[in-house]
Amino acid sequence: MLRDLWCVAWKELMVARRNLKSYATSYIMVLFIWGFVFPAATVDQVWNGQTRAAMLSFCYLAVLLASGQTINAFVGERMQKTLGTLLSTRLSDAAIYLGKVAATVITNYAVMLLVLVIHLGVLWYAAMFKLYPSKFPYTALEFTLMLTLPIFALVYTSALGVYISLKSTNIRSQHLLNLFMGLPLMAGFYFVMESPSWSKLGASLTLFAGVCFIVSYISIQRFNRQRLILQ
């Protein structure tokens, strides 16, 4: 199972690498807005301990990135006439589905780590320019939130986005659905960040893990290979 899952994930990663030029503009915009504009605009609030808006915008980036990439998960395969070939292999439904989710999570979490590094660098530079005392801009709890919550956001959004792509027949309808699927997650993020604590972080991660498992399980169970091949 794991070997088949990685086979699908590797195939998706290679496709993403070949299509890197088509994603370049989007990634450059993400790096510019979240890496430079947001931290430069919020340096005063962050250095004064008002970090919720900065963390929330960073976590929303996970939803934005994953929803954008999952548009082509199955809709793109269908449009390129490669879906039938993929579904005709010996790979299990779970391996195909989870492989696509894994590739999305790996790709976009790497992008988010790069954004985070640039984000911190711009914050430090802007704070130095404003003569603020030198310190790490986030507490240990806040930084842990910024590292962990996006992983669950990516898994949730990718799992749901791949399923929507499975059911969609065109990219436009997929995109419209993607615009709304991150709203429940962002409401949860807002609750966690309103008064963050280690216990609330643990409870939220457990809850998000359960939601991701349920979404993935239901989606795999509703994966109808025969119907997709005949479409």
PDB file of all heavy atoms in Angstrom, residues 62-97:
ATOM      1  N   ALA A  62      -2.121  27.979   3.525  1.00  0.00           N
ATOM      2  CA  ALA A  62      -2.180  26.536   3.304  1.00  0.00           C
ATOM      3  C   ALA A  62      -3.447  26.164   2.543  1.00  0.00           C
ATOM      4  O   ALA A  62      -3.420  25.362   1.604  1.00  0.00           O
ATOM      5  CB  ALA A  62      -2.132  25.791   4.637  1.00  0.00           C
ATOM      6  N   VAL A  63      -4.575  26.752   2.949  1.00  0.00           N
ATOM      7  CA  VAL A  63      -5.849  26.496   2.267  1.00  0.00           C
ATOM      8  C   VAL A  63      -5.777  26.978   0.824  1.00  0.00           C
ATOM      9  O   VAL A  63      -6.212  26.289  -0.109  1.00  0.00           O
ATOM     10  CB  VAL A  63      -7.004  27.185   3.010  1.00  0.00           C
ATOM     11  CG1 VAL A  63      -8.322  27.012   2.264  1.00  0.00           C
ATOM     12  CG2 VAL A  63      -7.129  26.644   4.433  1.00  0.00           C
ATOM     13  N   LEU A  64      -5.225  28.156   0.626  1.00  0.00           N
ATOM     14  CA  LEU A  64      -5.140  28.747  -0.710  1.00  0.00           C
ATOM     15  C   LEU A  64      -4.273  27.904  -1.637  1.00  0.00           C
ATOM     16  O   LEU A  64      -4.656  27.610  -2.781  1.00  0.00           O
ATOM     17  CB  LEU A  64      -4.585  30.163  -0.601  1.00  0.00           C
ATOM     18  CG  LEU A  64      -4.573  31.001  -1.881  1.00  0.00           C
ATOM     19  CD1 LEU A  64      -5.989  31.293  -2.331  1.00  0.00           C
ATOM     20  CD2 LEU A  64      -3.819  32.307  -1.646  1.00  0.00           C
ATOM     21  N   LEU A  65      -3.104  27.501  -1.173  1.00  0.00           N
ATOM     22  CA  LEU A  65      -2.189  26.721  -2.001  1.00  0.00           C
ATOM     23  C   LEU A  65      -2.768  25.352  -2.348  1.00  0.00           C
ATOM     24  O   LEU A  65      -2.742  24.924  -3.504  1.00  0.00           O
ATOM     25  CB  LEU A  65      -0.849  26.550  -1.278  1.00  0.00           C
ATOM     26  CG  LEU A  65       0.052  27.780  -1.175  1.00  0.00           C
ATOM     27  CD1 LEU A  65       1.239  27.487  -0.266  1.00  0.00           C
ATOM     28  CD2 LEU A  65       0.531  28.231  -2.551  1.00  0.00           C
ATOM     29  N   ALA A  66      -3.283  24.651  -1.340  1.00  0.00           N
ATOM     30  CA  ALA A  66      -3.794  23.300  -1.577  1.00  0.00           C
ATOM     31  C   ALA A  66      -5.020  23.312  -2.472  1.00  0.00           C
ATOM     32  O   ALA A  66      -5.151  22.469  -3.369  1.00  0.00           O
ATOM     33  CB  ALA A  66      -4.126  22.628  -0.245  1.00  0.00           C
ATOM     34  N   SER A  67      -5.921  24.264  -2.269  1.00  0.00           N
ATOM     35  CA  SER A  67      -7.125  24.309  -3.092  1.00  0.00           C
ATOM     36  C   SER A  67      -6.778  24.609  -4.545  1.00  0.00           C
ATOM     37  O   SER A  67      -7.395  24.084  -5.465  1.00  0.00           O
ATOM     38  CB  SER A  67      -8.102  25.356  -2.560  1.00  0.00           C
ATOM     39  OG  SER A  67      -7.542  26.657  -2.650  1.00  0.00           O
ATOM     40  N   GLY A  68      -5.744  25.440  -4.756  1.00  0.00           N
ATOM     41  CA  GLY A  68      -5.340  25.738  -6.123  1.00  0.00           C
ATOM     42  C   GLY A  68      -4.741  24.545  -6.837  1.00  0.00           C
ATOM     43  O   GLY A  68      -5.044  24.289  -8.005  1.00  0.00           O
ATOM     44  N   GLN A  69      -3.916  23.772  -6.129  1.00  0.00           N
ATOM     45  CA  GLN A  69      -3.258  22.635  -6.782  1.00  0.00           C
ATOM     46  C   GLN A  69      -4.202  21.475  -7.025  1.00  0.00           C
ATOM     47  O   GLN A  69      -4.059  20.743  -8.000  1.00  0.00           O
ATOM     48  CB  GLN A  69      -2.068  22.159  -5.952  1.00  0.00           C
ATOM     49  CG  GLN A  69      -1.230  21.100  -6.660  1.00  0.00           C
ATOM     50  CD  GLN A  69       0.082  20.834  -5.949  1.00  0.00           C
ATOM     51  OE1 GLN A  69       0.524  21.622  -5.124  1.00  0.00           O
ATOM     52  NE2 GLN A  69       0.706  19.716  -6.256  1.00  0.00           N
ATOM     53  N   THR A  70      -5.192  21.276  -6.138  1.00  0.00           N
ATOM     54  CA  THR A  70      -6.088  20.133  -6.304  1.00  0.00           C
ATOM     55  C   THR A  70      -7.095  20.324  -7.429  1.00  0.00           C
ATOM     56  O   THR A  70      -7.828  19.388  -7.752  1.00  0.00           O
ATOM     57  CB  THR A  70      -6.866  19.848  -5.003  1.00  0.00           C
ATOM     58  OG1 THR A  70      -7.545  21.046  -4.585  1.00  0.00           O
ATOM     59  CG2 THR A  70      -5.937  19.388  -3.899  1.00  0.00           C
ATOM     60  N   ILE A  71      -7.153  21.530  -8.004  1.00  0.00           N
ATOM     61  CA  ILE A  71      -8.062  21.751  -9.130  1.00  0.00           C
ATOM     62  C   ILE A  71      -7.805  20.739 -10.238  1.00  0.00           C
ATOM     63  O   ILE A  71      -8.728  20.221 -10.867  1.00  0.00           O
ATOM     64  CB  ILE A  71      -7.906  23.194  -9.674  1.00  0.00           C
ATOM     65  CG1 ILE A  71      -8.521  24.196  -8.692  1.00  0.00           C
ATOM     66  CG2 ILE A  71      -8.558  23.337 -11.030  1.00  0.00           C
ATOM     67  CD1 ILE A  71      -8.356  25.634  -9.110  1.00  0.00           C
ATOM     68  N   ASN A  72      -6.525  20.409 -10.456  1.00  0.00           N
ATOM     69  CA  ASN A  72      -6.169  19.513 -11.557  1.00  0.00           C
ATOM     70  C   ASN A  72      -6.022  18.057 -11.136  1.00  0.00           C
ATOM     71  O   ASN A  72      -5.594  17.232 -11.946  1.00  0.00           O
ATOM     72  CB  ASN A  72      -4.851  19.972 -12.198  1.00  0.00           C
ATOM     73  CG  ASN A  72      -5.040  21.227 -13.027  1.00  0.00           C
ATOM     74  OD1 ASN A  72      -6.033  21.373 -13.737  1.00  0.00           O
ATOM     75  ND2 ASN A  72      -4.108  22.147 -12.930  1.00  0.00           N
ATOM     76  N   ALA A  73      -6.370  17.727  -9.905  1.00  0.00           N
ATOM     77  CA  ALA A  73      -6.123  16.372  -9.415  1.00  0.00           C
ATOM     78  C   ALA A  73      -6.739  15.309 -10.327  1.00  0.00           C
ATOM     79  O   ALA A  73      -6.048  14.406 -10.800  1.00  0.00           O
ATOM     80  CB  ALA A  73      -6.658  16.229  -7.989  1.00  0.00           C
ATOM     81  N   PHE A  74      -8.038  15.396 -10.569  1.00  0.00           N
ATOM     82  CA  PHE A  74      -8.690  14.469 -11.484  1.00  0.00           C
ATOM     83  C   PHE A  74      -9.267  15.181 -12.701  1.00  0.00           C
ATOM     84  O   PHE A  74      -9.327  14.608 -13.786  1.00  0.00           O
ATOM     85  CB  PHE A  74      -9.803  13.695 -10.769  1.00  0.00           C
ATOM     86  CG  PHE A  74      -9.282  12.631  -9.841  1.00  0.00           C
ATOM     87  CD1 PHE A  74      -9.278  12.821  -8.481  1.00  0.00           C
ATOM     88  CD2 PHE A  74      -8.781  11.438 -10.346  1.00  0.00           C
ATOM     89  CE1 PHE A  74      -8.792  11.848  -7.621  1.00  0.00           C
ATOM     90  CE2 PHE A  74      -8.292  10.461  -9.496  1.00  0.00           C
ATOM     91  CZ  PHE A  74      -8.293  10.667  -8.128  1.00  0.00           C
ATOM     92  N   VAL A  75      -9.699  16.440 -12.510  1.00  0.00           N
ATOM     93  CA  VAL A  75     -10.217  17.187 -13.656  1.00  0.00           C
ATOM     94  C   VAL A  75      -9.139  17.325 -14.720  1.00  0.00           C
ATOM     95  O   VAL A  75      -9.385  17.143 -15.915  1.00  0.00           O
ATOM     96  CB  VAL A  75     -10.710  18.588 -13.216  1.00  0.00           C
ATOM     97  CG1 VAL A  75     -11.166  19.395 -14.428  1.00  0.00           C
ATOM     98  CG2 VAL A  75     -11.853  18.464 -12.229  1.00  0.00           C
ATOM     99  N   GLY A  76      -7.898  17.637 -14.284  1.00  0.00           N
ATOM    100  CA  GLY A  76      -6.795  17.761 -15.236  1.00  0.00           C
ATOM    101  C   GLY A  76      -6.488  16.448 -15.928  1.00  0.00           C
ATOM    102  O   GLY A  76      -6.225  16.412 -17.136  1.00  0.00           O
ATOM    103  N   GLU A  77      -6.530  15.339 -15.171  1.00  0.00           N
ATOM    104  CA  GLU A  77      -6.306  14.014 -15.771  1.00  0.00           C
ATOM    105  C   GLU A  77      -7.370  13.723 -16.827  1.00  0.00           C
ATOM    106  O   GLU A  77      -7.081  13.182 -17.895  1.00  0.00           O
ATOM    107  CB  GLU A  77      -6.355  12.937 -14.684  1.00  0.00           C
ATOM    108  CG  GLU A  77      -5.294  13.051 -13.620  1.00  0.00           C
ATOM    109  CD  GLU A  77      -4.102  12.141 -13.907  1.00  0.00           C
ATOM    110  OE1 GLU A  77      -4.012  11.614 -15.021  1.00  0.00           O
ATOM    111  OE2 GLU A  77      -3.261  11.979 -12.999  1.00  0.00           O
ATOM    112  N   ARG A  78      -8.616  14.097 -16.497  1.00  0.00           N
ATOM    113  CA  ARG A  78      -9.711  13.849 -17.432  1.00  0.00           C
ATOM    114  C   ARG A  78      -9.554  14.680 -18.703  1.00  0.00           C
ATOM    115  O   ARG A  78      -9.781  14.197 -19.814  1.00  0.00           O
ATOM    116  CB  ARG A  78     -11.039  14.163 -16.742  1.00  0.00           C
ATOM    117  CG  ARG A  78     -12.270  13.731 -17.531  1.00  0.00           C
ATOM    118  CD  ARG A  78     -13.552  14.019 -16.763  1.00  0.00           C
ATOM    119  NE  ARG A  78     -13.695  13.132 -15.619  1.00  0.00           N
ATOM    120  CZ  ARG A  78     -13.686  13.523 -14.363  1.00  0.00           C
ATOM    121  NH1 ARG A  78     -13.516  14.800 -14.066  1.00  0.00           N
ATOM    122  NH2 ARG A  78     -13.850  12.658 -13.382  1.00  0.00           N
ATOM    123  N   MET A  79      -9.143  15.947 -18.540  1.00  0.00           N
ATOM    124  CA  MET A  79      -8.987  16.825 -19.698  1.00  0.00           C
ATOM    125  C   MET A  79      -7.800  16.409 -20.564  1.00  0.00           C
ATOM    126  O   MET A  79      -7.810  16.606 -21.782  1.00  0.00           O
ATOM    127  CB  MET A  79      -8.831  18.274 -19.235  1.00  0.00           C
ATOM    128  CG  MET A  79     -10.079  18.837 -18.560  1.00  0.00           C
ATOM    129  SD  MET A  79      -9.854  20.525 -17.977  1.00  0.00           S
ATOM    130  CE  MET A  79      -9.676  21.390 -19.536  1.00  0.00           C
ATOM    131  N   GLN A  80      -6.749  15.831 -19.943  1.00  0.00           N
ATOM    132  CA  GLN A  80      -5.572  15.403 -20.688  1.00  0.00           C
ATOM    133  C   GLN A  80      -5.687  13.969 -21.202  1.00  0.00           C
ATOM    134  O   GLN A  80      -4.726  13.438 -21.768  1.00  0.00           O
ATOM    135  CB  GLN A  80      -4.340  15.527 -19.789  1.00  0.00           C
ATOM    136  CG  GLN A  80      -4.026  16.958 -19.372  1.00  0.00           C
ATOM    137  CD  GLN A  80      -2.964  17.029 -18.292  1.00  0.00           C
ATOM    138  OE1 GLN A  80      -2.202  16.085 -18.081  1.00  0.00           O
ATOM    139  NE2 GLN A  80      -2.907  18.144 -17.588  1.00  0.00           N
ATOM    140  N   LYS A  81      -6.838  13.331 -20.963  1.00  0.00           N
ATOM    141  CA  LYS A  81      -7.102  11.962 -21.437  1.00  0.00           C
ATOM    142  C   LYS A  81      -6.178  10.928 -20.795  1.00  0.00           C
ATOM    143  O   LYS A  81      -5.865   9.900 -21.389  1.00  0.00           O
ATOM    144  CB  LYS A  81      -6.946  11.877 -22.967  1.00  0.00           C
ATOM    145  CG  LYS A  81      -7.665  12.962 -23.758  1.00  0.00           C
ATOM    146  CD  LYS A  81      -9.150  12.843 -23.686  1.00  0.00           C
ATOM    147  CE  LYS A  81      -9.830  13.866 -24.596  1.00  0.00           C
ATOM    148  NZ  LYS A  81     -11.302  13.855 -24.479  1.00  0.00           N
ATOM    149  N   THR A  82      -5.717  11.206 -19.569  1.00  0.00           N
ATOM    150  CA  THR A  82      -4.827  10.252 -18.894  1.00  0.00           C
ATOM    151  C   THR A  82      -5.508   9.553 -17.719  1.00  0.00           C
ATOM    152  O   THR A  82      -4.915   8.658 -17.109  1.00  0.00           O
ATOM    153  CB  THR A  82      -3.565  10.979 -18.361  1.00  0.00           C
ATOM    154  OG1 THR A  82      -3.967  12.030 -17.478  1.00  0.00           O
ATOM    155  CG2 THR A  82      -2.758  11.562 -19.502  1.00  0.00           C
ATOM    156  N   LEU A  83      -6.752   9.951 -17.411  1.00  0.00           N
ATOM    157  CA  LEU A  83      -7.431   9.377 -16.252  1.00  0.00           C
ATOM    158  C   LEU A  83      -7.695   7.889 -16.443  1.00  0.00           C
ATOM    159  O   LEU A  83      -7.500   7.086 -15.519  1.00  0.00           O
ATOM    160  CB  LEU A  83      -8.743  10.116 -15.979  1.00  0.00           C
ATOM    161  CG  LEU A  83      -9.536   9.654 -14.764  1.00  0.00           C
ATOM    162  CD1 LEU A  83      -8.698   9.797 -13.503  1.00  0.00           C
ATOM    163  CD2 LEU A  83     -10.834  10.443 -14.625  1.00  0.00           C
ATOM    164  N   GLY A  84      -8.120   7.508 -17.650  1.00  0.00           N
ATOM    165  CA  GLY A  84      -8.403   6.093 -17.911  1.00  0.00           C
ATOM    166  C   GLY A  84      -7.172   5.218 -17.717  1.00  0.00           C
ATOM    167  O   GLY A  84      -7.271   4.119 -17.165  1.00  0.00           O
ATOM    168  N   THR A  85      -6.022   5.710 -18.158  1.00  0.00           N
ATOM    169  CA  THR A  85      -4.781   4.945 -18.000  1.00  0.00           C
ATOM    170  C   THR A  85      -4.444   4.763 -16.530  1.00  0.00           C
ATOM    171  O   THR A  85      -4.074   3.674 -16.090  1.00  0.00           O
ATOM    172  CB  THR A  85      -3.624   5.667 -18.705  1.00  0.00           C
ATOM    173  OG1 THR A  85      -3.945   5.847 -20.091  1.00  0.00           O
ATOM    174  CG2 THR A  85      -2.340   4.872 -18.588  1.00  0.00           C
ATOM    175  N   LEU A  86      -4.576   5.826 -15.742  1.00  0.00           N
ATOM    176  CA  LEU A  86      -4.280   5.753 -14.312  1.00  0.00           C
ATOM    177  C   LEU A  86      -5.208   4.769 -13.608  1.00  0.00           C
ATOM    178  O   LEU A  86      -4.770   3.947 -12.794  1.00  0.00           O
ATOM    179  CB  LEU A  86      -4.411   7.140 -13.687  1.00  0.00           C
ATOM    180  CG  LEU A  86      -4.215   7.228 -12.165  1.00  0.00           C
ATOM    181  CD1 LEU A  86      -2.800   6.827 -11.787  1.00  0.00           C
ATOM    182  CD2 LEU A  86      -4.520   8.648 -11.670  1.00  0.00           C
ATOM    183  N   LEU A  87      -6.491   4.830 -13.933  1.00  0.00           N
ATOM    184  CA  LEU A  87      -7.472   3.984 -13.255  1.00  0.00           C
ATOM    185  C   LEU A  87      -7.396   2.526 -13.704  1.00  0.00           C
ATOM    186  O   LEU A  87      -7.921   1.641 -13.021  1.00  0.00           O
ATOM    187  CB  LEU A  87      -8.888   4.524 -13.496  1.00  0.00           C
ATOM    188  CG  LEU A  87      -9.171   5.921 -12.925  1.00  0.00           C
ATOM    189  CD1 LEU A  87     -10.561   6.389 -13.333  1.00  0.00           C
ATOM    190  CD2 LEU A  87      -9.031   5.927 -11.408  1.00  0.00           C
ATOM    191  N   SER A  88      -6.760   2.277 -14.840  1.00  0.00           N
ATOM    192  CA  SER A  88      -6.651   0.903 -15.342  1.00  0.00           C
ATOM    193  C   SER A  88      -5.461   0.151 -14.757  1.00  0.00           C
ATOM    194  O   SER A  88      -5.283  -1.037 -15.034  1.00  0.00           O
ATOM    195  CB  SER A  88      -6.531   0.923 -16.879  1.00  0.00           C
ATOM    196  OG  SER A  88      -7.681   1.506 -17.461  1.00  0.00           O
ATOM    197  N   THR A  89      -4.658   0.813 -13.949  1.00  0.00           N
ATOM    198  CA  THR A  89      -3.505   0.157 -13.346  1.00  0.00           C
ATOM    199  C   THR A  89      -3.952  -0.716 -12.173  1.00  0.00           C
ATOM    200  O   THR A  89      -5.106  -0.664 -11.741  1.00  0.00           O
ATOM    201  CB  THR A  89      -2.487   1.199 -12.854  1.00  0.00           C
ATOM    202  OG1 THR A  89      -3.093   1.983 -11.817  1.00  0.00           O
ATOM    203  CG2 THR A  89      -2.064   2.116 -13.987  1.00  0.00           C
ATOM    204  N   ARG A  90      -3.007  -1.478 -11.613  1.00  0.00           N
ATOM    205  CA  ARG A  90      -3.302  -2.330 -10.464  1.00  0.00           C
ATOM    206  C   ARG A  90      -3.343  -1.560  -9.160  1.00  0.00           C
ATOM    207  O   ARG A  90      -3.645  -2.115  -8.099  1.00  0.00           O
ATOM    208  CB  ARG A  90      -2.228  -3.422 -10.344  1.00  0.00           C
ATOM    209  CG  ARG A  90      -0.841  -2.877 -10.061  1.00  0.00           C
ATOM    210  CD  ARG A  90       0.160  -3.953  -9.715  1.00  0.00           C
ATOM    211  NE  ARG A  90       1.467  -3.386  -9.402  1.00  0.00           N
ATOM    212  CZ  ARG A  90       1.798  -2.892  -8.225  1.00  0.00           C
ATOM    213  NH1 ARG A  90       0.909  -2.871  -7.244  1.00  0.00           N
ATOM    214  NH2 ARG A  90       3.008  -2.403  -8.006  1.00  0.00           N
ATOM    215  N   LEU A  91      -3.041  -0.261  -9.195  1.00  0.00           N
ATOM    216  CA  LEU A  91      -3.018   0.554  -7.988  1.00  0.00           C
ATOM    217  C   LEU A  91      -4.400   0.599  -7.346  1.00  0.00           C
ATOM    218  O   LEU A  91      -5.418   0.720  -8.036  1.00  0.00           O
ATOM    219  CB  LEU A  91      -2.559   1.975  -8.320  1.00  0.00           C
ATOM    220  CG  LEU A  91      -1.148   2.113  -8.900  1.00  0.00           C
ATOM    221  CD1 LEU A  91      -0.928   3.524  -9.417  1.00  0.00           C
ATOM    222  CD2 LEU A  91      -0.114   1.772  -7.834  1.00  0.00           C
ATOM    223  N   SER A  92      -4.440   0.524  -6.027  1.00  0.00           N
ATOM    224  CA  SER A  92      -5.713   0.551  -5.322  1.00  0.00           C
ATOM    225  C   SER A  92      -6.316   1.956  -5.341  1.00  0.00           C
ATOM    226  O   SER A  92      -5.618   2.946  -5.582  1.00  0.00           O
ATOM    227  CB  SER A  92      -5.524   0.099  -3.869  1.00  0.00           C
ATOM    228  OG  SER A  92      -4.730   1.035  -3.163  1.00  0.00           O
ATOM    229  N   ASP A  93      -7.621   2.021  -5.076  1.00  0.00           N
ATOM    230  CA  ASP A  93      -8.291   3.316  -5.011  1.00  0.00           C
ATOM    231  C   ASP A  93      -7.651   4.202  -3.945  1.00  0.00           C
ATOM    232  O   ASP A  93      -7.433   5.389  -4.156  1.00  0.00           O
ATOM    233  CB  ASP A  93      -9.778   3.132  -4.699  1.00  0.00           C
ATOM    234  CG  ASP A  93     -10.524   2.395  -5.792  1.00  0.00           C
ATOM    235  OD1 ASP A  93      -9.948   2.230  -6.893  1.00  0.00           O
ATOM    236  OD2 ASP A  93     -11.678   1.987  -5.561  1.00  0.00           O
ATOM    237  N   ALA A  94      -7.364   3.612  -2.791  1.00  0.00           N
ATOM    238  CA  ALA A  94      -6.772   4.372  -1.688  1.00  0.00           C
ATOM    239  C   ALA A  94      -5.394   4.907  -2.067  1.00  0.00           C
ATOM    240  O   ALA A  94      -5.049   6.048  -1.740  1.00  0.00           O
ATOM    241  CB  ALA A  94      -6.670   3.493  -0.443  1.00  0.00           C
ATOM    242  N   ALA A  95      -4.590   4.102  -2.775  1.00  0.00           N
ATOM    243  CA  ALA A  95      -3.250   4.540  -3.160  1.00  0.00           C
ATOM    244  C   ALA A  95      -3.325   5.704  -4.145  1.00  0.00           C
ATOM    245  O   ALA A  95      -2.550   6.668  -4.035  1.00  0.00           O
ATOM    246  CB  ALA A  95      -2.478   3.379  -3.776  1.00  0.00           C
ATOM    247  N   ILE A  96      -4.249   5.639  -5.103  1.00  0.00           N
ATOM    248  CA  ILE A  96      -4.404   6.724  -6.073  1.00  0.00           C
ATOM    249  C   ILE A  96      -4.835   7.999  -5.381  1.00  0.00           C
ATOM    250  O   ILE A  96      -4.267   9.078  -5.578  1.00  0.00           O
ATOM    251  CB  ILE A  96      -5.412   6.332  -7.170  1.00  0.00           C
ATOM    252  CG1 ILE A  96      -4.865   5.167  -8.006  1.00  0.00           C
ATOM    253  CG2 ILE A  96      -5.726   7.519  -8.070  1.00  0.00           C
ATOM    254  CD1 ILE A  96      -5.857   4.614  -9.010  1.00  0.00           C
ATOM    255  N   TYR A  97      -5.855   7.866  -4.542  1.00  0.00           N
ATOM    256  CA  TYR A  97      -6.406   9.037  -3.858  1.00  0.00           C
ATOM    257  C   TYR A  97      -5.390   9.649  -2.893  1.00  0.00           C
ATOM    258  O   TYR A  97      -5.094  10.843  -2.950  1.00  0.00           O
ATOM    259  CB  TYR A  97      -7.677   8.623  -3.120  1.00  0.00           C
ATOM    260  CG  TYR A  97      -8.378   9.761  -2.431  1.00  0.00           C
ATOM    261  CD1 TYR A  97      -9.308  10.539  -3.112  1.00  0.00           C
ATOM    262  CD2 TYR A  97      -8.110  10.073  -1.103  1.00  0.00           C
ATOM    263  CE1 TYR A  97      -9.949  11.588  -2.484  1.00  0.00           C
ATOM    264  CE2 TYR A  97      -8.746  11.125  -0.467  1.00  0.00           C
ATOM    265  CZ  TYR A  97      -9.677  11.866  -1.163  1.00  0.00           C
ATOM    266  OH  TYR A  97     -10.307  12.912  -0.537  1.00  0.00           O
TER     267      TYR A  97
END
